[in-house]
Amino acid sequence: GSVGGNFIGGNATGNVSNIINQLPSSSEPDKPGIKELLTQLQAAIEADPNLSNDDRNDALEQVKDLAEAAQNPNDGGMKEKAAKAGRMLGRIISGIPTATQLVEACSKLLPLITKVFGF
């Protein structure tokens, strides 16, 4: 089936979680890997009361894209997908009041996530 088709009008959270859970866990307990970072980002998006449902779904779609790209982070097309998702998340977050936990989480997590792709 199509992930995109299931995502739209489906359970966004479940689809994102499924893709993140396919990633390997960090081998270092004190240093989160891409799986742990994306899980934290997903949780911050889901918990933020300042996001509209549309913005929340859009942000989760970008997390899903990052998780898909992280499955093959050295592929040029996947790097571009990750870069685009990072930019889109930045735009979504820029519309939120700056005192939110999501803005704080993203400012901490996005640089760590994009480092996986060599940005």
Side-chain angles (χ1 to χ4, degrees), residues 2-25:
S2 161
V3 173
N6 293 338
F7 189 86
I8 312 240
N11 181 345
T13 300
N15 287 324
V16 175
S17 296
N18 288 342
I19 293 168
I20 291 173
N21 286 331
Q22 293 172 20
L23 296 170
S25 296

Side-chain angles (χ1 to χ4, degrees), residues 8-62:
I8 312 240
N11 181 345
T13 300
N15 287 324
V16 175
S17 296
N18 288 342
I19 293 168
I20 291 173
N21 286 331
Q22 293 172 20
L23 296 170
S25 296
S26 174
S27 56
E28 303 173 53
D30 59 335
K31 187 178 176 196
I34 188 71
K35 179 178 183 175
E36 293 79 12
L37 296 169
L38 289 171
T39 299
Q40 290 175 40
L41 182 57
Q42 177 188 5
I45 290 167
E46 291 168 356
D48 196 302
N50 295 299
L51 282 175
S52 69
N53 283 337
D54 285 344
D55 283 345
R56 181 172 290 107
N57 286 335
D58 287 350
L60 289 171
E61 179 76 26
Q62 302 316 309

Side-chain angles (χ1 to χ4, degrees), residues 79-102:
K79 282 187 176 202
E80 180 56 36
K81 185 176 193 169
K84 183 178 176 187
R87 289 191 305 269
M88 291 295 293
L89 278 169
R91 289 182 189 127
I92 293 166
I93 292 156
S94 69
I96 301 173
T98 54
T100 69
Q101 289 179 326
L102 177 58

